[in-house]
Amino acid sequence: MKMRNNLNNLLGLLGLLLITAKLIFSSWNIIEFTFLPATLFLVLLGSLMVFETNKIDVQLYLKLTGQDLFKGSQKEYAHRNGFIDREWITDHSFPTEEWVSGWQKPHAAAFSVDQDQIIHQTEKDIAGRSDEPAYAEHANYPTFHHNSGQGTSIRTMEIPIPISEIPMAVTGSPIRINSIQNLWDEKLQEFNYFFNHSRDLACLVDPNGTLELINPVFEKTIGLFKYEIIGQQFISFVHPDDIEMSLKEIENLVSGAQSLNIINRYRKKDGTYIWLDWNLSGEPKTGKIVAIARDISDLKKAEFEINQLHEKLEQKVMERTSQLEAAVQELETFTYSVSHDLRTPLRAIGSYAQMLEEDYLQALDEEGKRVLLTIRKSAEKMGTLIDDLLSFSRLGKQAIQKSPVDMNSCVLDLLDLLQHVYKHKAEIIIHTMPDAFCDRSLIRQVILNLLGNAIKYSSKNDHPVIELFATRKEQDIVFCIKDNGIGFDMKYAHKLFGVFQRLHGEKEFEGNGVGLAISERIINLHGGRIWAESIPGEGATFYFSLPVAV
Amino acid sequence: MHNTEVEILLVEDSDLDAEITIRALRKNKISNHIVHLSDGVKALDFLFCNGEYSNRDITQKPRLILLDLKMPKIDGTEVLAVLKSHVETQSIPVVVLTSSKEHPDVNKCYNLGVNSYIVKPVGFQNFMEAIATSGIYWMLINQPVE
């Protein structure tokens, strides 16, 4: 608005310099600029505009050619973003003598001044002016002078916008224009900095699929010079196996996708391939594609190695598993053999001894009968031992089946059996116990073992008393079986639960040292713990804990 | 003896076990005609009248087969599979006798259609009783197919 006043006041005093549009474009000394990825360019432009719209002596105009005027999309874009507030129409191809209709008229309309207030000046006129030293250096820039009076000139600078292919024009005082120019240069330098120093490959592909612009990393990665790459088909570097997939994806982009990612193999100068992870963005107006790629060859290599290791590991696991399975199988065969082959002769010993007893008892004297009985009993004991060992080893591979178990009735059921087996005189006191969550038959076996032990080891007491009770301890129920028998020395407590470990001689108390080992294994299978306390001569208390049902 | 009526066929590789078994049966008055064969091949030859038993009368079927599992050449489960898959023999009651409950073929035997599966008990008195009970059941109590 201030500008318009200036123009009115200084009517006819200064000339307007016009340089043809062709000159403008070819002299815009940033060829690469036109190749900049469009998105970055717009950011750059946008920031400049924000900066400039606050200055009152500079207005921004969108210059449209007559042909494009009413197509509107670029205009809308510029308006929407506040880049312009006025516009004028021109045509680059008009003859110089028609400049009045080509330049003067639209300029005058845009600035609301009379046509003859805008004066045409030549490039030479600008270069020679002492008050505009900067223009001498920038004589090749697109420059239009407005006669704005009081020794102040207004200059118009055209900025090509590659993405819209319609130049943006900036009009203002020479000083402002100059500072805008510097700002542009700065922004361009920034852009170039990012573009040239990017560690990712960047390129611009034209609608025909030809590489138009590449950054230095692109050159370096592929191993070819820029001139060897520019003009080549983007797809010509793609690995034959990846071409179909890549083209298909690019087609999606052309048919409307905003951006997409593809991973393909790209050929280097030496004929080897690298893995590139591309981000492709399409520009629907120009049909160009901005492609940014990261070299993920190392990643792919690592991935490949991981896969290989994984496969090897799988194979190893399979080998080991089959070895383990074979070992388990062998163990089972062994177990079977033990139980079958050891028992067959044993059964013969026992049975034949019995036959002897049945058929020839009269022929034997007392010593003969004693020897025969010993043979039978020993054979029977060995049979029990084999059975116990087998059930102990079987526990290792057995899956337990837990359910709520009424421990009181479980114990009561056992009392008859115990009386039958041991013919004991012990008083057994059962305090009410909570239900347990366990495998009934296995826990029954544990209680049978522990009660049997209690009866056995208290049998020499005149008044054997056995107590069963349970306490809740945090997440466990602890069951206790207390007797007033001979007890054991606590320094041997660690040997209690070992297989074939006994703390008392066979003569004192019968037993084969497997019962507690089995009990411990059962309790461990339940996630519980078994232990014992004792004072020799005063009795022993055995404890086992079972986790409360979750 | 090939043409004599056979009531119990005992297939058992252990002579000692066979003697105990036969003794147990006899002690319990099951003194029917008992044939003892020592392996599966002989058992099948006997039942189907092949090989050394080719002159035997095939219609003379045993009323009970006591079959040991662990035998050389053809073992008990194989014999059982053949017996239960042939119409002529599938109705003969078969009692499997084995030394061990660890035997992996318990389930297999039942799937093949064994009539009874007995683990030779550890106690020798018990063994005698088991054989006797089984013998009494199959020979005297059980009603065979007509």
Side-chain angles (χ1 to χ4, degrees):
Chain A
M1 317 317 114
K2 193 177 175 184
M3 193 188 318
R4 188 190 297 172
N5 295 339
N6 286 342
L7 279 166
N8 289 335
N9 293 340
L10 298 172
L11 172 72
L13 290 179
L14 293 171
L16 172 67
L17 178 68
L18 286 173
I19 297 173
T20 67
K22 276 199 169 68
L23 179 63
I24 288 160
F25 277 92
S26 62
S27 62
W28 187 244
N29 191 23
I30 39 167
I31 296 307
E32 289 207 8
F33 179 84
T34 62
F35 293 111
L36 296 185
T39 42
L40 190 56
F41 175 80
L42 284 176
V43 171
L44 192 67
L45 190 62
S47 60
L48 176 70
M49 294 313 166
V50 169
F51 177 77
E52 280 306 326
T53 44
N54 293 330
K55 306 290 175 187
I56 206 144
D57 62 340
V58 172
Q59 301 288 339
L60 302 172
Y61 295 92
L62 181 68
K63 183 172 79 66
L64 301 161
T65 64
Q67 198 184 357
D68 287 332
L69 179 59
F70 298 110
K71 286 196 176 169
S73 57
Q74 287 88 354
K75 199 167 78 177
E76 271 167 33
Y77 176 82
H79 276 296
R80 194 168 62 244
N81 290 282
F83 290 174
I84 63 167
D85 61 6
R86 275 174 287 183
E87 57 195 64
W88 76 93
I89 310 153
T90 189
D91 184 349
H92 293 303
S93 62
F94 69 89
T96 312
E97 57 270 23
E98 289 174 25
W99 76 278
V100 172
S101 58
W103 283 114
Q104 203 176 21
K105 259 188 202 165
H107 259 76
F111 287 91
S112 302
V113 294
D114 294 337
Q115 275 181 36
D116 56 0
Q117 289 175 321
I118 295 172
I119 301 164
H120 177 212
Q121 280 194 316
T122 64
E123 187 182 356
K124 205 176 164 189
D125 291 336
I126 300 166
R129 288 173 71 105
S130 59
D131 61 330
E132 290 181 0
Y135 292 159
E137 294 167 37
H138 300 288
N140 286 338
Y141 281 75
T143 311
F144 303 100
H145 273 232
H146 296 265
N147 178 353
S148 54
Q150 297 184 354
T152 309
S153 65
I154 296 294
R155 194 168 181 193
T156 299
M157 181 177 80
E158 282 195 9
I159 303 162
I161 307 174
I163 200 157
S164 69
E165 293 186 349
I166 291 175
M168 187 73 84
V170 180
T171 302
S173 72
I175 290 163
R176 289 306 310 158
I177 291 295
N178 204 23
S179 76
I180 289 170
Q181 185 59 55
N182 291 338
L183 195 65
W184 272 114
D185 290 347
E186 210 175 282
K187 293 284 173 192
L188 276 176
Q189 266 171 18
E190 277 177 20
F191 167 78
N192 280 329
Y193 182 83
F194 288 122
F195 189 66
N196 293 333
H197 290 79
S198 162
R199 291 170 65 178
D200 289 340
L201 290 77
C203 65
L204 191 68
V205 183
D206 79 6
N208 300 321
T210 308
L211 286 156
E212 228 179 55
L213 173 71
I214 59 168
N215 71 345
V217 178
F218 201 108
E219 281 179 278
K220 203 177 142 198
T221 309
I222 301 299
L224 291 169
F225 290 112
K226 199 184 236 174
Y227 68 85
E228 293 174 294
I229 300 170
I230 300 288
Q232 299 281 333
Q233 284 289 306
F234 171 82
I235 210 75
S236 67
F237 292 93
V238 177
H239 190 282
D241 293 349
D242 297 342
I243 286 179
E244 196 185 328
M245 175 272 296
S246 300
L247 284 176
K248 207 172 157 192
E249 292 290 338
I250 291 169
E251 210 167 285
N252 288 336
L253 202 63
V254 173
S255 61
Q258 291 283 310
S259 71
L260 51 84
N261 282 74
I262 55 172
I263 292 173
N264 61 20
R265 281 160 290 182
Y266 223 60
R267 196 182 63 249
K268 295 204 293 183
K269 186 187 182 180
D270 61 7
T272 61
Y273 286 88
I274 46 167
W275 283 97
L276 293 182
D277 181 358
W278 293 93
N279 178 271
L280 305 179
S281 310
E283 171 47 51
K285 289 195 178 93
T286 59
K288 289 183 184 179
I289 292 169
V290 179
I292 314 281
R294 184 157 296 183
D295 182 355
I296 54 161
S297 301
D298 287 346
L299 208 67
K300 278 280 175 187
K301 197 175 157 221
E303 194 182 300
F304 178 73
E305 277 166 9
I306 286 172
N307 282 342
Q308 257 192 336
L309 280 176
H310 187 74
E311 264 171 40
K312 268 189 197 164
L313 200 67
E314 289 262 289
Q315 209 178 339
K316 225 168 215 174
V317 167
M318 272 166 66
E319 272 170 30
R320 292 278 188 277
T321 306
S322 66
Q323 280 171 0
L324 272 176
E325 277 168 357
V328 168
Q329 185 60 45
E330 209 170 285
L331 210 63
E332 270 171 14
T333 312
F334 176 75
T335 306
Y336 171 63
S337 297
V338 165
S339 87
H340 184 278
D341 296 352
L342 288 189
R343 274 210 295 196
T344 305
L346 201 59
R347 191 166 46 249
I349 295 171
S351 300
Y352 277 79
Q354 193 179 341
M355 288 181 206
L356 198 63
E357 194 181 303
E358 284 170 7
D359 297 353
Y360 302 97
L361 198 64
Q362 272 64 42
L364 294 172
D365 64 4
E366 283 309 303
E367 179 61 8
K369 286 174 190 168
R370 192 188 64 80
V371 170
L372 194 58
L373 186 71
T374 308
I375 293 172
R376 279 189 56 193
K377 283 212 157 181
S378 300
E380 227 160 278
K381 183 171 167 53
M382 185 152 177
T384 315
L385 204 58
I386 291 170
D387 273 0
D388 284 352
L389 260 185
L390 285 174
S391 61
F392 179 71
S393 81
R394 206 168 39 235
L395 276 175
K397 52 191 175 188
Q398 189 171 329
I400 58 170
Q401 292 176 335
K402 289 186 183 182
S403 63
V405 172
D406 178 351
M407 294 294 271
N408 302 300
S409 74
C410 181
V411 171
L412 283 172
D413 286 349
L414 285 172
L415 292 183
D416 276 352
L417 179 69
L418 284 165
Q419 187 54 255
H420 179 72
V421 174
Y422 292 99
K423 311 213 172 349
H424 64 91
K425 56 184 190 332
E427 181 190 353
I428 299 179
I429 304 164
I430 303 167
H431 299 273
T432 309
M433 293 180 286
D435 285 2
F437 189 64
C438 60
D439 187 311
R440 187 187 165 96
S441 67
L442 290 179
I443 291 300
R444 189 174 181 275
Q445 200 178 335
V446 172
I447 296 173
L448 186 62
N449 280 335
L450 295 179
L451 268 177
N453 280 350
I455 289 169
K456 192 157 67 182
Y457 293 109
S458 63
S459 60
K460 293 183 180 173
N461 193 312
D462 289 339
H463 301 289
V465 179
I466 297 163
E467 267 186 277
L468 277 90
F469 53 97
T471 53
R472 173 83 186 251
K473 201 174 175 187
E474 289 163 13
Q475 291 307 301
D476 289 332
I477 301 172
V478 180
F479 295 90
C480 314
I481 292 156
K482 187 173 190 278
D483 67 58
N484 60 350
I486 59 156
F488 59 88
D489 191 333
M490 281 299 280
K491 73 178 170 188
Y492 301 118
H494 65 282
K495 289 190 168 182
L496 275 175
F497 301 98
V499 188
F500 293 136
Q501 296 280 358
R502 300 204 65 214
L503 301 187
H504 300 282
E506 180 81 6
K507 274 184 196 164
E508 274 183 290
F509 297 100
E510 279 188 358
N512 56 30
V514 182
L516 285 181
I518 289 178
S519 299
E520 186 184 41
R521 198 169 265 201
I522 291 172
I523 297 300
N524 287 348
L525 279 175
H526 281 81
R529 206 164 68 82
I530 188 166
W531 70 100
E533 286 164 5
S534 175
I535 298 167
E538 292 184 20
T541 308
F542 278 78
Y543 305 86
F544 65 88
S545 67
L546 290 175
V548 176
V550 186
Chain B
M1 70 180 252
H2 290 162
N3 295 317
T4 318
E5 188 183 349
V6 176
E7 302 226 298
I8 297 176
L9 175 62
L10 173 63
V11 189
E12 168 69 80
D13 69 319
S14 158
D15 284 347
L16 299 182
D17 271 358
E19 189 181 340
I20 301 167
T21 306
I22 293 167
R23 182 186 169 97
L25 291 169
R26 294 219 190 289
K27 275 212 131 195
N28 288 279
K29 317 284 184 235
I30 305 167
S31 44
N32 310 55
H33 192 95
I34 301 169
V35 169
H36 169 219
L37 299 174
S38 58
D39 64 55
V41 179
K42 282 183 185 154
L44 290 178
D45 279 354
F46 180 86
L47 287 163
F48 296 100
C49 301
N50 293 323
E52 61 177 299
Y53 301 100
S54 52
N55 296 325
R56 203 181 75 84
D57 176 7
I58 199 161
T59 59
Q60 296 292 317
K61 292 181 205 165
R63 284 178 58 198
L64 174 66
I65 298 172
L66 298 174
L67 183 63
D68 187 26
L69 280 190
K70 205 184 172 211
M71 290 185 297
K73 297 181 195 166
I74 296 180
D75 71 19
T77 53
E78 291 172 274
V79 172
L80 183 63
V82 174
L83 291 185
K84 291 301 178 185
S85 63
H86 281 77
V87 189
E88 311 93 286
T89 50
Q90 66 186 7
S91 61
I92 306 171
V94 178
V95 174
V96 159
L97 295 172
T98 177
S99 284
S100 170
K101 56 185 161 189
E102 289 296 314
H103 202 291
D105 294 332
V106 182
N107 289 337
K108 198 172 163 189
C109 286
Y110 275 109
N111 291 337
L112 288 172
V114 75
N115 299 79
S116 196
Y117 189 103
I118 293 176
V119 178
K120 297 171 187 171
V122 171
F124 309 102
Q125 191 62 45
N126 296 343
F127 179 56
M128 294 284 207
E129 282 167 16
I131 295 291
T133 310
S134 174
I136 289 166
Y137 174 78
W138 289 107
M139 295 304 290
L140 304 177
I141 301 171
N142 186 49
Q143 179 64 43
V145 183
E146 293 300 324

